[in-house]
Amino acid sequence: MDKYSALWLSHSSINIFKHCPRAYYLSTIYRDPRSNHKISLITPSMALGSAVHEVLESLSILPTDQRFSLSLIERLHKVWGKVSGQLGGFSDSATEDQYKNRGEDMLRRIMAHPGPLAQKAVKIQMDLPQYWLSQEDNLILCGKLDWLEYLPAQAGLESDDAIHILDFKTGVGEESVDSLQLPIYYLLAHNCQTRPVKKASYWYLGRDDMPTEKKLPDRGKSRELILKIGKEIKLARSLDRFKCPEGDSSCKYCLPYEKILRGEATYVGTGDYGADLYTTNESVHSPVSKIL
Ligand code: SF4
């Protein structure tokens, strides 16, 4: 099978399609006729998530005794340049400082309570973990897993040579109960490496000192569900049918993309895979006081 003709599915593309086919179209298919590039968005929350994830990802390739020899705050300062200012969708330095401080607090929490990050990790030997969800339907499932903790075999204990999927959360909200993230990550972890998946957890870095374990979903049902959505996406693409279920009312999922189309967003550079990167540049910083 030719991987390049396949439809690649990820948690973010499936998630946005589930919310709205038109938002999926604008974020994954539409090309700006002037540049022939896809369009992409950056927001302060995405910038914070990207910087914190980059710091943590850099630890997983280090031996356990070297992971914290350099302060994680220093590591954050090194990567922050990639998302500083407009590149991170920050409208002003006060907003940027607010987000950067949140990132520092999260990393201070990890340095004080490293938990599973102080244990051995398993690295999947692929830049982008991926596997054929269905060769018959020409569908590939792909996605990066934040962290796989290695659970060694121990005499008398059941945890033998297995892995623990960890997903770092840098946003303020909880992952919704019907989120497909866990089913997708479970399938990826199961199919892209050889050890059994023993458990999975979310770690809300802004509030918790330890990850929160989640019940592993049924793998067979997870595959069926993701395959069903994959087929729906494929059909929508083949019919070029991406209708707004709300009657073009512009809700939160496509509003920023519609702003780009209307010329109301700011171009800030080149994003992933050569897409034109935009910010809608709204300040989230509320001044404590104002001199009138
Ligand atoms: S406004 Fe309509 S098209 Fe846009 S995301 Fe909402 S439901 Fe979808």
Side-chain angles (χ1 to χ4, degrees):
M1 293 293 292
D2 172 20
K3 283 190 169 182
Y4 296 97
S5 72
L7 174 58
W8 291 59
L9 303 164
S10 65
H11 173 242
S12 58
S13 71
I14 287 173
N15 189 39
I16 202 154
F17 183 83
K18 252 187 21 159
H19 283 113
C20 173
R22 175 157 171 82
Y24 171 87
Y25 166 77
L26 291 174
S27 60
T28 64
I29 298 175
Y30 172 80
R31 285 179 184 268
D32 184 331
R34 294 164 301 174
S35 63
N36 199 32
H37 295 162
K38 289 187 179 177
I39 54 174
S40 176
L41 269 172
I42 183 75
T43 65
S45 302
M46 290 159 76
L48 168 66
S50 155
V52 170
H53 277 79
E54 185 170 340
V55 169
L56 299 179
E57 190 182 347
S58 70
L59 303 184
S60 65
I61 51 167
L62 298 175
T64 49
D65 60 348
Q66 289 173 27
R67 289 201 187 133
F68 299 95
S69 23
L70 180 65
S71 155
L72 301 192
I73 309 296
E74 266 183 64
R75 288 184 185 272
L76 181 71
H77 292 172
K78 282 187 182 167
V79 304
W80 193 262
K82 294 181 192 171
V83 296
S84 184
Q86 293 269 46
L87 282 176
F90 298 111
S91 53
D92 51 62
S93 57
T95 304
E96 180 171 342
D97 287 347
Q98 199 182 65
Y99 277 87
K100 196 172 176 186
N101 290 341
R102 274 178 57 197
E104 290 178 1
D105 287 345
M106 291 177 197
L107 296 174
R108 259 184 223 106
R109 183 188 297 281
I110 289 186
M111 286 190 288
H113 308 278
L117 301 204
Q119 308 303 320
K120 284 186 177 170
V122 170
K123 283 299 277 183
I124 295 176
Q125 299 302 311
M126 297 184 214
D127 286 342
L128 179 63
Q130 57 190 261
Y131 80 99
W132 283 102
L133 178 67
S134 165
Q135 294 221 3
E136 189 190 341
D137 298 298
N138 214 15
L139 296 172
I140 289 177
L141 187 62
C142 66
K144 280 196 170 183
L145 299 152
D146 285 350
W147 193 278
L148 298 178
E149 181 191 2
Y150 175 57
L151 303 174
Q154 290 178 39
L157 289 181
E158 272 181 28
S159 50
D160 29 52
D161 202 26
I163 58 164
H164 171 198
I165 301 172
L166 262 180
D167 189 63
F168 304 123
K169 301 289 185 200
T170 55
V172 283
E174 288 245 352
E175 192 71 24
S176 73
V177 282
D178 62 349
S179 163
L180 292 175
Q181 187 168 35
L182 215 48
I184 289 171
Y185 287 4
Y186 187 14
L187 291 173
L188 284 167
H190 175 77
N191 287 286
C192 298
Q193 55 84 55
T194 53
R195 294 185 175 87
V197 178
K198 178 140 177 106
K199 56 182 194 166
S201 304
Y202 292 145
W203 194 346
Y204 293 92
L205 301 176
R207 58 160 221 226
D208 293 342
D209 291 345
M210 287 300 286
T212 305
E213 188 170 345
K214 309 304 283 185
K215 188 173 178 291
L216 277 178
D218 179 279
R219 207 171 57 239
K221 285 191 185 145
S222 297
R223 181 180 180 275
E224 266 173 42
L225 182 59
I226 304 303
L227 185 57
K228 180 171 171 285
I229 302 173
K231 287 180 182 176
E232 285 168 17
I233 297 179
K234 203 174 158 191
L235 181 65
R237 292 177 72 115
S238 69
L239 299 175
D240 199 20
R241 194 185 60 202
F242 301 97
K243 282 213 166 260
C244 169
E246 302 296 325
D248 293 320
S249 56
S250 257
C251 71
K252 66 173 182 173
Y253 295 106
C254 75
L255 190 60
Y257 291 100
E258 299 290 4
K259 279 190 172 178
I260 297 175
L261 265 54
R262 290 198 299 264
E264 293 168 7
T266 309
Y267 172 79
V268 297
T270 302
D272 290 345
Y273 307 109
D276 293 336
L277 188 64
Y278 288 88
T279 175
T280 51
N281 233 353
E282 284 152 10
S283 175
V284 293
H285 179 68
S286 334
V288 187
S289 62
K290 195 174 177 185
I291 299 171
L292 298 168

